[in-house]
Amino acid sequence: MDVKIEESWKRRLAGEFEKEYFQRLTEFVREAYRQGTVYPPGHLIFSAFDHCPFDKVKVVILGQDPYHEPGQAHGLCFSVREGIPFPPSLHNIFKEIADDCRKPIPHSGDLTRWADQGVLLLNATLTVRAHQAGSHQNKGWETFTDAVIHQLAASRSHIVYILWGAYAQRKGNFIDTTRNLVLQSAHPSPLSAYRGFFGNKHFSKANDYLIASGQTPIEW
């Protein structure tokens, strides 16, 4: 199957694209886009990979679902397009960066600037029906994104994995912590941010680890 995804990922994931689950998933997603409004726009489904080639990944941040309201999702977890108001979780992420790294809260919620530096902003599920959170869960995306993490874990080391909330932590529970840095805390959503997200200092810890392993830190 010819999947339009960045070339290094295409090579790494070629086996997944031929599996039955992925073919069923592709049929489901195509039909969903035909029948109604689905986010992100089809050409942006694999944006996280297109901006962050396999060998350039320094940090992985795991999200769950794309945003499901108009104009928000563009293929990077927690990120919104230029000019879109910050969703609550993203606002809390910027608050923590401001406190941790002494940086002002930015004007734009578009995190492409992180992706281009080597931050893989990966949702577990890469599409969603408009206004219906979780509507494309358990259709095959989770199997695919598990394969992505397994590829990284098997072939790369000295990556920072940032796992916020129980869902992300379950998804990354096999990562070798002797070869990588795994940072875990509560999710940045307003429901849980005060139960351990604020004050986690994940952004400075990630950069300290990258510097210690001879890599360029991320400009958060």
Side-chain angles (χ1 to χ4, degrees), residues 59 160 162 181 183 202-210 220:
V59 178
V160 181
I162 296 179
L181 178 64
L183 299 173
H202 281 181
F203 302 96
S204 62
K205 288 176 180 177
N207 276 349
D208 289 346
Y209 179 83
L210 292 174
W220 300 109

Side-chain angles (χ1 to χ4, degrees), residues 67-96:
Y67 296 123
H68 54 268
E69 296 301 329
Q72 294 180 314
H74 63 126
L76 308 177
C77 74
F78 295 106
S79 179
V80 291
R81 292 171 182 262
E82 192 80 28
I84 298 293
F86 303 163
S89 291
L90 182 58
H91 178 72
N92 287 341
I93 288 168
F94 287 149
K95 279 179 65 177
E96 175 59 22

